[in-house]
Structures are given as structure tokens and as C-alpha cells.
Amino acid sequence: MLQAKGDAVHDETSCAKANVPEASNEFRSLTIPVHRASTVVFDTVEEYRQRRRHFYDGYSYGLYGTPTSRALEAQIAALEGGTRCLVVGSGMAAITLVLLASARAGDHVLIPDTVYDPVRTLADGFLAELGISSTFYDPRIGRDIDSHFQDRTRLVWLESPGSVTMEVQDVPAIVAAAHERGILVGVDNTWATPLRLKALDLGVDFSMSAVSKYLGGHSDLLMGSVAVRDETLYRRLRDTARHLGYGASPDDCSLALRGIETLAVRLDRVEATALAIARRLSGHQAVATVLHPSLPDHPDHLIWKRDFRGSSGLFTVELQPWTRPTLAEAVESMKHFAIGASWGGTQSIVAVLDPPPVRTATSSEGRGPFLRLSIGVEHIDDLVSDIDRALAVLSAARSVPLSERKRTDKGFLRENPTAGGERNEAERI
Ligand SMILES: *Cc1c(COP(=O)(O)O)cnc(C)c1O
């Protein structure tokens, strides 16, 4: 092997470490760099020894924060009207983080019946095994939430509007009841985003968002955020995230930063298109109800109007039961709506929820089928033709004579024996 002369380093060493150009003010751009790092380095042994001092704010190890993740956290904190924010690898991770930062073995948490379904599985299974009990409550309970309080109730979780069935919760009433007893309140603010609901202003302690949806906005990343105003709560979240090994990839943080740049214009666009489509669907013979809180006949419209600054692009259509025989054909006839879970991207998505989602504290008996539409940024006319095409296919089921239809409904139940009742795990994801 050839030796380099004098102080010159060997090629192997030059390969291993590029020379970082001297810091200069010559290069400036409008973007935040992607800082990929596991190791964070220090100038002195003493600084290395003291690195844990930088755990909550500065930089000590890649998992606990890089300039890219801190920039994103500061931006989301500001939008939420919070002082602190923490990002983790998915929306689900953010919810788990809040629950585990709030409750220990022997404690009790309250969860809305309309919660994002994987949280129900988390509460019934994993949390129960840890000794954390939970009660599912009617999302429209308001101040009467206090009837569910136990000695060791630590957290009231909210999701508003609720998954699929879109119930809007009376956040200030629930917060008032909970805080009287020193119970924390957290909300899943994914639908509204911090632009449409300032949840921390309404008094909640934790405002959580699935960044995977509107903040990311392009169906290409998974991330969750939790914003708070209280330093102690922030530290508790950060400590819990460290125990669980939660963090967020700098590349995904960079995508989220880019997504948020257009959040306001995307929301304005999908809000307007969604509302126009919701109105078009209302009153159609194949439609039982359009579940969208900005429609004046939505049961929680006044609460929504009081607390929210607008809506987003996700809503649900509850169809007439007689549409079931042509439901799949109708959905597959849509050219601009992809069939899939998740939502909040630029491209329209339709999810079929039939049988209806699991409810235990309220009833979903006889309800559905549900179509959840996530409206994208496509031209409204293209989306409307899709909707009209689907409605025409659905309406065709109406021409089936009533006696036939009854048989078809029974046929549906025979082919889907779990409809409306218990179902297996795979169907719930
Ligand atoms: C998608 C979703 C989540 C979970 O987000 P992921 O990043 O997919 O884990 C949480 N809450 C709501 C309301 C959601 O729709």
C-alpha cells in the first residue's frame, strides 16, 4: 500500500470524510437542509460529557433531533399556537406517545367511540395488558364526560370530527370538566389541521396531528406531531419518546416542511371542492346522509361553526342500504378517485366502509354503507363527473324489485357474516 507523504492524509481517509467548506455567508437559499445524522459531534470531551443537557433543545444524538426536525417542530408549534412540538414516525406513534406519557399501570383513560380505529385496538389490547384501563364514550357527551371520571382517570382523548361518522365534539365543555379534576385532555386534530382548529386555544393540553395527511399533503410520508404549551408536558413527551426509541427521519421532516409551504392553498382548494361535492350529493335518492360539519343540517354544525375556522377536504357519504348490490361497481367506475385508506393528499381517494366502523358506546345499527371521500386538487368538473357516474350506478340498484332487494340484502349478510358485528383484525386496518 502506498503511503502518503508528510501530513497528507491517505485516499482512504479522504474518501471517508469530505472536507466541509469553511462556513460562509455566500450561500443562502430558501430551503431548510436535510441534516442526516446518528452521531452528533463535539469539539471537546467536556462538551461530549455534557451532551445530555442538549436533549430537550439542542443536539445530542440524531434520534433526539437534528436542525431539520427542530425546524419542522418549531413551525408546527407556531401554527398550533403552542410553545413546543415533537415529531415521531407516524400519526399512530404520536397517539401512543400521548397515551403512554399520560397514564401508568392502574390509571384510566377516556376515548371517544368514534376514535381512529387502531386506537381502539391499542386501548383494548396493549394498554389493557399494561394495566391501563379505558372507557369508550359517546363523542357528543359534552360536559357529562364527568360521569365517566374515575379516581385514576388521567386523560380524556378527543377526535373531532370523529373518524368516518364525523361527530364534532364540544371541546371547551370537555376541557372545563376535565381540568376541574386535574385530568389532561388531548385531541386528534388531523382533519382540521392547525389552520382550521387552534385546539390549544380551546384549552386542550395536547394537539396531535397525523402529518401523513394534510401537513405532508402528498401521500408520500408517515409522521405524527404533538404540540403543547406546557414545558413539563413537553419534557414528559420527549422522555417517553426516548424510552420508546421514537424519532422522525430528516428526509421525511424535509418533505413535511415542503408540504406545509402549500398547506394553506391546498386546504382552501380542497375545502371548496369538497363542499360543492357534498352539496351535490345531499338529497340524492341513493344517499341517506352527507356527513360534513359545514353543512347546516349536520347535527354539530353550530359547535363546528363556533370553534373551527373552516373545513378540509374529507367527508363521508352514508348511502341507502339498498345500494349495496352495486356499491363496488359504483366505486370502481370512478376514474379520479383511487381506492384506498389514508387521505389528505393532492389526489382524491375513496374508502368503502361497509360494514360500518366498530362502535361500543353508541350504536351504528342499521347504518351504512359509508363512502369516505378525500377530495384532492383535481379540477372539480372531473371529480363531479365521477360522482355522477357512481350515483347513476348506485341508483340502478333501486330498480331491483323490493322482494329481490330483500333477498339481496340477506345475500349480502350471508356473504359477509360479520357485517355489523365482530370482525377480524385485518378488516379493521
Ligand atoms: C391516519 C390517521 C391517524 C394515523 O396516522 P398514521 O400516520 O397513518 O399513523 C391518526 N388519526 C387519524 C384521524 C387518522 O386519519
Side-chain angles (χ1 to χ4, degrees), residues 16-32:
K17 188 173 187 304
N19 269 324
V20 183
E22 286 294 309
S24 91
N25 294 327
E26 273 167 39
F27 178 78
R28 291 190 298 149
S29 80
L30 296 170
T31 58
I32 290 160

Side-chain angles (χ1 to χ4, degrees), residues 116-117 159 162-166 191 213 291 313-319 331 334 337-344 348-354 369-375:
Y116 174 64
D117 198 61
E159 184 179 324
S163 273
V164 185
T165 42
M166 305 294 285
W191 180 84
K213 309 291 166 56
L291 303 165
L314 183 85
F315 67 97
T316 302
V317 191
E318 183 170 355
L319 296 170
V331 170
M334 297 164 86
F337 285 80
I339 301 171
S342 201
W343 46 277
S348 294
I349 297 171
V350 54
V352 180
L353 293 125
D354 190 46
F370 294 100
L371 287 187
R372 189 179 64 180
L373 302 178
S374 174
I375 302 301

Side-chain angles (χ1 to χ4, degrees), residues 11 54 100 121 128 167-168 200 230 238 292 317 387 391 422:
D11 280 353
H54 307 295
L100 293 181
T121 322
E167 295 83 350
V168 181
L200 297 173
D230 181 286
R238 198 50 93 189
H292 189 315
V317 191
I387 295 287
L391 286 173
E422 284 302 300

Side-chain angles (χ1 to χ4, degrees), residues 90-93 95 116 159 163 188 190 208 210 212-213 222-223 343:
S90 69
M92 188 59 198
I95 299 172
Y116 174 64
E159 184 179 324
S163 273
D188 185 330
T190 305
M208 169 268 160
S212 321
K213 309 291 166 56
L222 289 159
M223 193 182 291
W343 46 277

Side-chain angles (χ1 to χ4, degrees), residues 5 11 41 66 84 89 111 131 137 158 173-174 180 188 210 230 259 273 276 290 300 327 330 350 352 360 369 393 404:
K5 302 234 165 64
D11 280 353
V41 297
T66 63
R84 294 292 209 160
I111 298 177
Y137 67 90
L158 311 174
I174 292 175
E180 255 170 43
D188 185 330
D230 181 286
T273 310
V290 178
D300 309 315
L327 181 60
V350 54
V352 180
T360 51
V393 177
E404 277 287 309

